[in-house]
Amino acid sequence: MRLHRSFRLAALAALLISYTVCVRAAAIEFDAATISDLNRAFEANTLTSEQLVQQCLARIEAYDDNGPKLNAVITLNPKALEIARALDAERKSKGPRSPLHGIPVLLKDNYDTFDMPTTGGSVMLENWVPPDDAYVVKKLRDAGAIVLGKLNLSEFASGAAHSSLGGQTLNPHDPTRTPSGSSGGTGAAIAAAYAPLGLGTDTGGSIRGPATANGIVGLKPTHGLMSRDGIIPLSLTFDTGGPMARSVYDIAVSLGVMTGVDPADPATQKSKGKAATDYTQFLKADALKGARIGIARDFLGADADVDWVIESALESMRKAGATVVDVRYPKWLLDSKQEFYSAIRNPEFAAQIGDYLAATGAGYPKNLEQLIASSTGVRSLRADGAGPNPIRWTLFKKEAEAGKLDDYRYLSVRDHALPMVRMVVEGLLAAEKLDAIVYPTSPRRPALIAQAQPQPDTASATNIANLTGFPDLIVPAGFTTDDLPVGISFFGPAFSEPKLLALGYSFEQATHVRRLPVHTPALPDQAVTMP
C-alpha cells in the first residue's frame, strides 16, 4: 500500500515538474518578441543568433522573394550567418557586448556600409561601395548587431515609395496600398518581421509616414542626437536617421547604442550632455498617469476612420490617467510650413548631394547636373525590374532651379522663419504645460499605390518636427474599417526623447494594437521559446 502511494506521489511530482517546465518554457510569436525577449532566449540557450538570422532570412524568402513580393530588400549581406556564428561563439566565451549582440538590423539603403553597396535606390549609384560605415552603422556593429541587408526606399529619400534600382515597395497590410516614403522599405520589412530592428531617415516625415502606414513604431529623433555622417544627404538642416521597430522597447534599446558626439557631424554637438546611452530606463507603464497631453486638432477631419482611431486613443490615455487638452497651431504656420520646408530642402539637396557624390568612384555622377544627364539615358525596364523613375527624376530639375545657399529666399527662412517656428512650438508647449502634443501621424489611411501622391501631404503635421528639429515618436493606434493601420505621434521639445518614449510605452502597454500583417503571416516553427 505504501509503495502504491509512493508511486502516486512520484507520478504527481513528475506531473508538477512537467507542468512547471511547460509554463516556464512559454513561446512568443516571432514578430512579437522584443529584443529583451530575444536576449532572454539567448541566455537560456533556447535561441542562437545564427537561428535568429535564419528565421529572418526565411521570412525574406517567403515574403520578399515570393508570396506578396513586397520588394523591400535591395541587398542581403552574404556573410550574415557567418557573422552570427562568430557572435554566438563570442557570447559563450566573453558574454554579450550589448543588448544588440547578435541582433539582425536592416538599413535603409542610404546608410554607408563598407561591405555592401550604398545606392540611395538609384541605378546611377548601382554597385557603389563606400570605403567605410556610416557613424551609427559602425556603432551598431561595435555593439554586436548584424547588418542583415539594405532596404528599398524612395530614390534619394524623396518622392513616392519607388526607386529606379529597387522598384515599387508594397505594403504588407495591403499590397495595393503605399507603404509610404521615403523609408518605405524599412517600414514594410519591419512590419513583416524581416528583422527586429531597422533604420530609416527622416527629412519631412520619412520615418513617420512609413511607421504609421505599416503599423509599427518609429522615432524621428531630435536633430543632432544621431550623427548623419555617412548618410546620403537630402537636406542637412532637416535630415536625421532614426530607429524603426515593432515595439517602443526596441526603439529605446537601439537608440542608446547610436547616440554620441561625432566630430564629423557638427550637429551632434547639440546633444552633448543631453543624450543618454540607455533609454530603456525611462520606460514606465504608468507614465501617462498625471501627464498633460495636447491634441493638435488642426490635423483631424481628413478621414473619418483615422479620426475615430485617434479619438479612441485619446480615451485610452484619459483612462490611463492623462489630461487631454485641445491645442491649435497659428494659421500662418499651417499655411506656411510647406513653403518654409521647400525653401530649405530643395536648394540644400542641389548643393549637398554633390559633396557626397564627390567621394564616389570613377563612372559615377558627381553632382546634380550629372545625375540629371545620367537619368536621361534610362528609358526602359531591365529584366531585373530596375528602370526609369520619372517622378523623382523630374524633381531633380526643380531642385536644380531652387537657387543657391546664399540666396535671400533660402537665408531668410533658415535664419528667421525656422527660429520663429521653434519659438512658437516651444511657447505652445510651455503655455499649456504640455508633456507632449499628439496628432494622427498621417491624417488619411495609406493611399492606393496607383493614386499615391509623391509630394508631402500638406494636411500632415510631420514637417513641423523637421522645421523645429524636435523629436516625434510614432506608436500604432488602431486600424481602419478596411484593416489599414493608423499611427499616433507623440511630439515634444528638443531632447525630450525620455519623456516621449515613456508616454509612448505607456500608451502601447495600455492598448497593444500592433499585429502581424495579414499578407505576411507567421511561418511554421518560428515562435521564440522563452525560459
Side-chain angles (χ1 to χ4, degrees), residues 237 344 348 405 410-419 422:
T237 294
I344 298 293
E348 284 199 347
L405 300 190
Y410 171 81
L411 294 174
S412 61
V413 173
R414 188 195 69 181
D415 298 344
H416 300 286
L418 298 188
R422 282 193 293 272

Side-chain angles (χ1 to χ4, degrees), residues 466-486:
N466 303 97
L467 296 173
T468 57
F470 295 169
D472 202 4
L473 174 72
I474 285 63
V475 182
F479 288 82
T480 62
T481 50
D482 48 353
D483 209 30
L484 296 171
V486 176

